[in-house]
Each structure stands twice: as structure tokens, then as C-alpha cells.
Amino acid sequence: MTQASGPRVALFVTCLVDAMRPRIGFAAIRVLEEAGCVVEVPEAQTCCGQPAFNSGDDADTKALARQVISVFDGYDHVVVPSGSCAGTIAHGYPELLADDPVWGPRAKALAGKTREILSFLVDVMGYRPEGRSLPASATYHDSCSGLREMGVKAQPRALLAGIDGLEMRPLEGAEVCCGFGGTFCVKYPAISNGIVGEKAAAIEATGADLLLAGDLGCLMNMAGKLHREGSKVRCFHTVEVVAGMADGPAIGEAE
Amino acid sequence: MSARERIFSAVRAELSAARDPAQIAGEAAALLAEPDAVRPRLAGATLAESFAIKATALGTTIDRVPALDAVPEAVARYLAGQGLRPSVALDGAPELRGLDWGAVETHSAIAPDEAAGVGLARFGVAESGSIVIHSGPETPILLAFLPLHHVVVLRVADMLAHLEDYAARLEGTEPPRNAILITGPSGTTDIEGSYVRGAHGPGFVHVILVEE
Amino acid sequence: MSDAPHAEAEAPDFKTRAGIALADRTLKIAIDRTTNTAETKRAAAVGAFPEFEAARERGRAIKDHVIANLGHYLETFERNATASGAKVHWAADDAEARAIVVRLCREAGARSVTRSKSMLGEEIGLPDALAEAGIERVETDLAEHIIQLAGEHPSHIIWPAMHRTREQVADLFREGHVPPPSAEDPGSMVRSARRVLREKFLGADVGISGANFLIADTGATCTVTNEGNAELTTTPPRVHIVTAGIEKLVPSTAHAFALLRLLVRSATGGEMTQYTTFHRGPKRPGDADGPEEMHIVLVDNGRSRMLGDEFRDMLRCIRCGACMNHCVVYRQIGGHAYGGTYPGPMGAVLTPVLDGLAKSRDLPFACTMNGRCAEVCPVRIPLPTLLRAWRGRSWRENLEPRAMRAGLGLWAWVARRPRLYRLASGLGVRALRLMGKGGWVGSVPLAGGWTAYRDLPRPSGKTFMEQYRGGRK
Ligand code: SF4
């Protein structure tokens, strides 16, 4: 149910959610609307440009940044179900366009209203899930960009604490990178594998049924490693749990 | 062009024009403002107590005596407690040399395998449990490094609160050739990061605090 | 053989070195033992110092102030050090620095030189230069002693021998110490090193040390150590040589203390090093001991260039090693795989400065950009931003593989055309779906790096945008 009086929120779906796990996008829309937002999904969005940004291809990143700014800067808030894409918009764009007299200020303005979804729900909308239950145990991994660039730490835990029957188990080294790193994991696969191998072992050691995190890239990395190792741990984006959609297929389970 | 000229011209090329030294000094001083906001608080109620808390945590042992003339006896007591012969290398400070060493034999040469050396500290620093020694005609640096046991006499009156207070004491004086803040016995974490006490310097530091 | 020099140090390229390191399980044990301890101790030390964040900010400001006025401080330091009786030498690069030190040793008629650990000495290649000059070099820091016995280079800037387990160190000592240590516990090994090195200290002609700080207003050099080897290196010999980078300056002793509080907590998790030593000139008339000559070699080696480029923030580095202790990549591959003097995040920024980007192009890319290094850096160096700056240069200088450039360029071209992008991603998702069955894809062309080690979730068949436009909510 939408309330016409709520803030106009643009959902930046992210290219990975768009292609690999649309459920996360629909979960995001569901909770944003519950929280009282008027949600729009601008048609002209593609990717935030992070692959180019992290490859040193500044020219292409700037072009994509200008496109994202044009598409999104008319909304009250831009909400992203990924700390790292949100971080690119909130920190990468202003850094990259700092010397541009036109786009620099626009990048800054967009940065100021761009949020990672779980922190937006709690910090801006004061949202708490109601009547949601999930009889399972779960552990939570803090994805790096969300944690360090977007200040996501307490908010997902607060939201998960509002899910009836969900038992949270602490993850040793929850703040340590999972080894995804975007292009890193395909450029230096052996190093990435060493890192995610340790992460998978730490996740297994919690004995939890579920692994939750806020970034699909990291989740695919951890889920892919856990599956390869024969683990039974099921992986979801946190927003799927908050939206009550964790009764569906986990990452890597056929729909 | 000499290396010096090349370095200076490179540095100057990258930085803005020469600035007024007084202005630079003012900025540097401002960076030391409000020292309490950027340093640890003292561990105890008094300077001596704070010093003792920090020093003993590092393995330094502490004895307290009322006055300097009680130092030889305290040294004898420490040596006996450690099972050492009553013989020490003694630094040249007149305050120590002038004492009646009684049964403790003293000498000034420091053998490479000296068992114990006794010296006078210039200062103590309560913040960190450090003692400060300065090189000089009476103070061989090696006295604090060759012996296995370093016995340090420190007057409570020479106790400073913080590291900055020591820096302030140097101002307006000719700093020594070598000043050393010693904070606990020598040690190392070079094998697997785990701490081993007693590396190249003394394995034992014993401070005799003189209250007078 | 456990005491052969680590093979990864010798391989020509980063990926090979990293691969060798990853295959070495003993190396991983050694890395984990040290970095786990370091991480725990640092966290405790920072936790016990509520003023840490304010102190960090102050430390950053002190270093920035010095960097912004470097010419002034270099001149002030030179004047005061000279007034103290020390002789100041200038070296624009590593070759000049080596030549100066070797010349000073020769002038001193040195047959034996003791060294206390200095990463700058490693940076300028001093160990090899002394060997070529036929001068006996005795490393006195315990870790450097281990490295010397093994014929290796440091793998960490605080714990140079951290790539060796205690069992491997025991093997080295059994062969290298006469008589061998009485037992294999670290304590016995440390005592053995103390005994072996004691006579070397007293017989050396020249002692060489580094400096953690150069104090401009007194002309003193400041060195911090825990073992006591620095004092034994610098006091008995007739000549004391200090080598230091020009970025080590601080305005005064009090400024050095402010940085020291950050350095020790960040490096070892202690509050204060056991020995904080200030050297100011040679032995004075009547002094009980001390060297007759003190020389200070100030080394630029790329630093003045950094003043003017995007790597200027890196000049703040106080060489604490926290960034590597907290780096997931370093903790997988150790220090030797980086192939430069400095490993880990700070090394990935500095090595391209020192060795050139063409030779070290991999380093800025071998990073997940997780930001933990910057989070712990006591002087707030934005390491990921600096690594990204190197990536930008690498891209602009055409050092990236052609296929990579072409692929990324095509992707970006499509991503700027939303309708084409929709079409392409819809097709891509369907193609990917065809490659797997059930929920997973086991192998994907061009993504072999991924699927060699993990499975790829199989996409559900339609993109979010297709479903959304189709009315799903
Ligand atoms: S970059 Fe920062 S964390 Fe790394 S060694 Fe330098 S000062 Fe320490």
C-alpha cells in the first residue's frame, strides 16, 4: 500500500540484482512501500559504473556517473540494495567529478540523498518489520562498502531483531572482507579463493541455517564457495528476510 | 647540481612559495594545543602511583626508599633476592658515588656480561612508566644495555606526568648527545609476534624510587 | 627444505609469486600466528585509549603540516644537526644513498658493520651494497638476524621474519648458532641470539641505524626499538650512520611523542616501545661513551616527486604496519609476493613509486577495496583511493591488457544506452541460465576465475526490469 504523502524514492536496482536476483529488487520495493515511501524505478538506469571505476577507467566512469545523476537527481532519495553501488554514487562520483563546475555540485547533491536500503529504512524512515517471522538461525556478514562507506552496521541487526523466531549468531570476523572485490575475484581468483575459503569456514562454524548480507556480489561469492564446499548454509540478502520473502528460494536454489 | 640542491629544488617546485618561519612555528605550536585531548590519562591518583602501575605492567620491578642513603641497602636487597653477587657497575653520578655502599662492591668498567648495573635516572614519566637517561661524562649509555639487570634510581621529585613534559624540560637547554626513554626490560615479538622478555638489553629493570 | 629462501621472492611476476605463496601452508600458519596476535593487541591498545581518534586526527595534521613545509623543516633540521656536530649528507636516490654509506664505511676503515633494523636501508639496497663492498654486515634486530641467516629479505615492515614459524626459526638457529640454542622455545632462541651477537656489537667499526623521526628543532634523530639492539649498534662503534627518508621530519620532540603514541599502538599494540632513543651528534668531550662521528644520510628517492602528485598523502606514513596486518590479501600471500621493499597496502602504493608502475602494475589491482587498511591507518591515509589512483594511471598509460580494455569499453558503451543495455542483459541472463541446471552454473566461459573455485548462482531467467515492466510487484 502506498501513501501518496510519503517521500519520493527512486530505487537503484543495481545491475547485479537486475540480472542475477530480481527478488531482491521486489523485496526492496515491498519494504520501502511498507515504510511509507512512494517508490519509482527509473527506466533509464543501468549500472553505477563501478567495474570501470575500480579498473581505473575514469572516462567511462564519468560518463556513467553523469547518466546516473541525470536519471536520479529529481527524487527525494535514491535507495540502493547494495552498500558498494551506493558507495560508488555517494563517494566515487563526487571524488571523480570534483573539478567539474557543472557535474561536481550535482554529484555532491546526489551523494547527499543516496542511501543503502537497510540504513535508509532505519535511519530515515524509522521502519520496523511487523508480523514477520522466520523460524531459523542466521549469521550476518558486514559487506565492506556498506560498513565503511555507508555506515551500515547496527541497522540491519536492528531490523533482523524484529523478525520473530529468527536467532542471530555472531560471525567471527564479520567485518573482514569476503574476497569478492568486484573485478578482483576474476583477476586474482586464487587469492580471492583463499579469502572466501576462510570466510566460508567461519560461516560454517556458526552452525547457522542462513547467511545474510547486504550486497549481492559478496553473497554470490560466499554462496558459491559454500555450495562448492558442500555446505548446507542458505544465503539471502537481508532485505529479503525483512520483506518476509525468505520462504522462497535461497541464492542458488531453483525457483 | 649537488644532491642537496636537487632535493631542495624539487621540494620547492612542488610546494608553494617560501613562508614566514614565524607563521610555520605558530602552526606547529597549535598542533600541540589541548594535549589532554590526544593523550592517555594517567593510570593512578599520583604521579608515582601512575608510574608504578605502568612500569610494573611491563615487568619492571619497583622498590621504594625514603632517601638516597637507603639506596645501597635496597640494591643489596635486590641482588640478594635475585641470587646475584653483591657487585655492580655503578654510573658516575656524584649522588650515587657519594653513598656508603657498604657490602656492595662497585666498579665503573662495564663488562660485556655484566650482571648488574646501577644508574641514576634524569626523569620518570608517569604516563608510560618510562625512565629517562642522558648520556654524559658520568653516564655511560652501555650501563643501561650490557648488564642483565639494570637497577635505576629515580627520585620522586624528578617524576613528570606526560611525555610532553619531558620535551618541555629539554627546551632552552642543550639536549644531550643521547637521550633514552626506557620503558620496561628489553624484549622482542619477532618470533610469531609473541612476546619474549630479555632480548639484547637487560632482561630485568628494577627501579628504586626515592621519596625524599 | 624449510630454511631455503622463500621461493615466492624469486619468481618474476606477481601472480606466480602469489600462487607459490598460496600453496605454502607453513607460510599461512606463520602469517596467521603473527597477524592474529597483532590484530588482537592493537584492538586492545586502541580500546584502552579513548582519545585515539582525536590523536589520529592530530597525527594526520602534524604530518600534513610538515609535508606542506618540508623545505623549511629540512633546512632547520640540517642546521641543528650540523650544529650538534653531526654531518648531514643528501641522497637524491637509492644509488646515491648506497654510495654515500659505502664511502663512509670505507673512510672509517670498516671491516665489520652492525645494523639495527631500518626499512629505508632495505629500500636503498644497503645489505647488498655492503656485501659488494666486502664489508661484514651484522644484522642485530632479532628478525633481521633470522632473515640474514636465511639469506632473505623482510616480508613485513615491523616483523621482517613473520613468514617463518618458530619451528623454522629453530632450524635456522640450529644450523647458524654455535653452540645451538638449548631448546626450541622462542625464549631459548632469543637468548641464543643475544649470546651470538654480543661480541659483534662490541667489535664493530661502524653502526648503521634508521630513524623513526627527525626532530627539526634539535637536530636529533629518534629511533624506537624493543630489543635494545639499536643502542648497542650505535654506541660502541667509532662511527654512527643514520639513514632516513626526508618525510621523517617533525617540528619538535613533543610532536614526535604525539606520533609515537599512534605508532606503537598501531604497530605492536603496546603503549610505548621499550627504547625511545634520541641521538644528537657525536660523542662530546668527556662523554663516557658514544661514537666519534655521526653521519645522517637524508634520502629522497621519489619522495619529493610525491609532494606534487596524487600520492602526497602517502608521505604521512609512519611505517606502523597496521594496514598489512589487517589486509585480507596480505594475510593470504605474505610480504614476499609483493616483490618490493614494502608489502601490503602501503607497499602497493609505494612500490610503483619506487620501482615504476610497469613493473608493479598488479599491486594496486590485487586489492578488494574493502577499506580496512584505511580504517586502521593511524594517520588516516586513504589507501584505497591511492590504489585507485594507480589504477587510473595504469589505464591511462595503456598498461592494462588489451582484451580487458576492449571488454570494459564495450560494456561501458552499452551501459550508456539503457535500451540496448536492457536487451543485452536480458539475452545475457538467458544465455547464462542455459549454461547451468538447477540453481547453479558450474563453469562459464570467460569467468573461469570464478568457477574454478566456486559455483555461480544460476539466474532465474528474466531480469528485474523485464519482470517489473511486466507488472510484477
Ligand atoms: S599506511 Fe598507515 S597503516 Fe600502513 S604502515 Fe603507513 S601509517 Fe601504518
Side-chain angles (χ1 to χ4, degrees), chain B residues 4 6 12 19 28 31 33 41 54 127 146 164 177 179 181 183 187-190 192 199-201, chain C residues 33 51 58 69 75 78 96 140 143 159 166 194 198 226-227 255 261 271 274 276 278 280 284:
Chain B
R4 182 184 187 282
R6 269 180 288 149
R12 296 232 163 79
R19 302 179 60 215
L31 290 166
R41 269 156 270 170
K54 286 297 176 189
E127 169 189 339
L146 289 176
E164 286 85 354
R177 176 191 77 75
L181 284 78
T183 313
T188 182
T189 57
D190 277 352
E192 295 185 349
H200 295 296
Chain C
R33 284 180 183 167
E51 296 81 4
R58 193 69 69 91
N69 298 286
E75 267 177 353
E78 179 186 41
E96 286 185 12
T140 65
W159 294 283
R166 76 177 96 87
R194 177 187 167 102
R198 184 58 48 131
N226 293 320
E227 298 177 9
H255 294 90
R261 291 192 184 103
E271 293 182 4
Q274 273 89 335
T276 306
F278 296 86
R280 197 169 166 278
R284 296 181 190 165

Side-chain angles (χ1 to χ4, degrees), chain C residues 157 314 317-323 346 373 376-379 381 383:
Chain C
I157 63 173
M314 197 62 214
C317 177
I318 53 175
R319 307 286 193 264
C320 73
C323 54
M346 56 83 81
C373 49
V376 296
C377 174
V379 284
I381 297 173
L383 291 153

Side-chain angles (χ1 to χ4, degrees), chain A residues 2 11 13 15 17-20 22-23 25-26 29 33 39-47 49-58 60 63-64 67 95 144-145 147-149 175-177 179-181 183-196 198 217 220-221 223-225 227-228 245 251-255, chain C residues 14-15 18 22 28 32 39 328-329 331-333 361-363 365-372 375 385 388 391-393 395-396 400 404 408-409 411-418 421-422 425 429 432 438-442 446-460 462-469 472-473:
Chain A
T2 53
L11 180 69
V13 178
C15 51
V17 167
D18 180 49
M20 302 301 291
R23 292 169 53 82
F26 292 106
I29 294 174
E33 288 184 349
V39 184
E40 293 182 36
V41 183
E43 282 262 343
Q45 61 178 296
T46 62
C47 170
Q50 200 181 125
F53 187 46
N54 280 338
S55 298
D57 177 3
D58 291 352
D60 278 327
L64 282 166
Q67 173 174 312
E95 187 186 308
C144 301
S145 307
L147 175 71
R148 300 195 177 89
E149 292 180 13
E175 294 190 2
V176 176
C177 176
F180 173 61
T183 50
F184 170 82
C185 69
V186 282
K187 278 192 168 179
Y188 304 96
I191 302 174
S192 175
N193 175 55
I195 302 169
V196 73
E198 286 183 37
M220 283 169 51
N221 180 40
K225 184 66 184 172
H227 187 256
R228 179 68 58 97
M245 289 167 61
I251 293 172
E253 289 173 2
E255 296 244 359
Chain C
F14 173 77
K15 280 190 179 160
L22 285 165
K28 180 65 177 148
D32 281 346
E39 187 180 350
V328 282
V329 174
R331 286 168 77 146
Q332 289 299 322
I333 63 175
R361 191 195 63 81
D362 273 297
L363 302 184
F365 286 94
C367 165
T368 68
M369 294 283 169
N370 66 76
R372 197 138 180 257
E375 186 176 74
T385 306
R388 195 178 280 115
R391 294 181 181 190
R393 276 219 198 168
W395 189 271
R396 289 196 301 278
E400 291 311 290
M404 163 80 197
L408 198 65
W411 166 85
W413 187 84
V414 173
R416 288 204 299 280
R417 287 158 182 81
Y421 181 87
R422 294 269 92 81
S425 56
V429 160
L432 193 55
W440 298 94
V441 185
L446 299 178
W450 179 286
T451 49
Y453 300 104
R454 12 172 152 49
D455 296 324
L456 187 69
R458 186 171 170 227
S460 52
K462 274 187 170 179
T463 66
F464 173 88
M465 282 301 189
E466 287 168 336
Q467 297 183 37
Y468 183 75
R469 274 188 302 192
R472 174 168 174 193
K473 271 232 136 178

Side-chain angles (χ1 to χ4, degrees), chain B residues 71-109:
Chain B
V71 165
E73 206 192 306
V75 171
R77 196 161 56 229
Y78 174 75
L79 296 173
Q82 294 290 331
L84 298 171
R85 288 192 310 118
S87 168
V88 295
L90 184 65
D91 88 4
E95 296 91 326
L96 298 183
R97 287 271 150 150
L99 298 171
D100 175 6
W101 284 88
V104 179
E105 184 274 328
T106 65
H107 47 270
S108 16

Side-chain angles (χ1 to χ4, degrees), chain B residues 19-183:
Chain B
R19 302 179 60 215
D20 176 11
Q23 201 187 340
I24 297 175
E27 285 173 19
L31 290 166
L32 297 174
E34 292 185 67
D36 283 335
V38 292
R39 66 187 175 195
R41 269 156 270 170
L42 297 183
T46 65
L47 294 185
E49 188 192 322
S50 306
F51 174 88
I53 291 170
K54 286 297 176 189
T56 51
L58 295 161
T60 298
T61 49
I62 295 184
D63 194 1
R64 289 167 184 262
V65 298
L68 266 177
D69 56 16
V71 165
E73 206 192 306
V75 171
R77 196 161 56 229
Y78 174 75
L79 296 173
Q82 294 290 331
L84 298 171
R85 288 192 310 118
S87 168
V88 295
L90 184 65
D91 88 4
E95 296 91 326
L96 298 183
R97 287 271 150 150
L99 298 171
D100 175 6
W101 284 88
V104 179
E105 184 274 328
T106 65
H107 47 270
S108 16
I110 311 150
D113 57 350
E114 192 73 45
V118 179
L120 184 67
R122 288 295 173 117
F123 301 106
V125 181
E127 169 189 339
S128 52
S130 310
I131 55 129
V132 184
I133 62 169
H134 285 181
S135 63
E138 293 149 1
T139 324
I141 290 300
L142 292 179
L143 184 97
F145 288 91
L146 289 176
L148 188 61
H149 295 258
H150 184 205
V151 180
V152 189
V153 179
L154 171 62
R155 288 174 292 212
V156 170
D158 292 328
M159 192 72 81
L160 308 170
H162 287 282
L163 294 167
E164 286 85 354
D165 299 313
Y166 168 63
R169 286 297 181 99
L170 289 180
E171 258 159 50
T173 69
E174 170 77 12
R177 176 191 77 75
N178 193 183
I180 308 179
L181 284 78
I182 299 176
T183 313

